[in-house]
Amino acid sequence: MDDAELDRLLMRRVMARHCPDIPMRVAPSLKAARDSLSAHPVGLIFLDNILSDGSGIDFAEELHNHPKYAKIPVVMVSDFPTPFLFAKAKAANVREIWSKAEFRGPDVRRAMARYALH
């Protein structure tokens, strides 16, 4: 199991335990994320910065500039958030930036309550 797969598994467990009534879709790539967005309504995106086919922060900018997806709140989740990431995230209207260790039940519930589109 690679690190990304383990991260997805841990995120699924946090969501299942702390937000069991909220459906969750996991996209391991930007292509999968784009396909999912076009097929399903999305109320909040937890977005990793390192994906198999590109950068999460670039995807956040793409969403921010897209007429249909600009209002979807994004929380970046990154192993090593840098000042550069924070600056780009602010410009893309990313709501928060967390390290992966901060993806915990109470924080997820708070973000869902505060940001998720209903």
Side-chain angles (χ1 to χ4, degrees):
M1 179 177 294
D2 69 18
D3 287 346
E5 190 177 341
L6 181 60
D7 290 338
R8 288 189 294 272
L9 177 64
L10 293 173
M11 289 177 157
R12 283 182 196 270
R13 286 182 179 166
V14 168
M15 289 296 294
R17 183 171 181 200
H18 294 277
C19 301
D21 297 330
I22 298 172
M24 177 182 176
R25 280 184 234 44
V26 175
S29 67
L30 294 176
K31 180 187 180 321
R34 288 182 187 105
D35 292 345
S36 184
L37 279 171
S38 67
H40 307 283
V42 174
L44 175 67
I45 296 173
F46 291 104
L47 180 61
D48 193 353
N49 192 41
I50 305 297
L51 298 164
S52 62
D53 56 352
S55 164
I57 192 60
D58 291 339
F59 185 59
E61 289 177 322
E62 177 184 324
L63 295 172
H64 178 67
N65 293 315
H66 192 286
K68 185 176 177 182
Y69 305 131
K71 293 185 190 244
I72 300 173
V74 174
V75 173
M76 290 290 304
V77 182
S78 176
D79 280 327
F80 305 103
T82 65
F84 175 72
L85 179 69
F86 279 91
K88 285 188 82 170
K90 183 177 180 181
N93 201 28
V94 170
R95 303 304 200 268
E96 297 183 25
I97 300 176
W98 299 351
S99 69
K100 289 185 180 175
E102 293 174 299
F103 196 92
R104 299 176 303 242
D107 297 314
V108 169
R109 282 194 311 269
R110 179 188 52 76
M112 294 299 295
R114 184 171 185 187
Y115 303 120
L117 303 175
H118 301 285

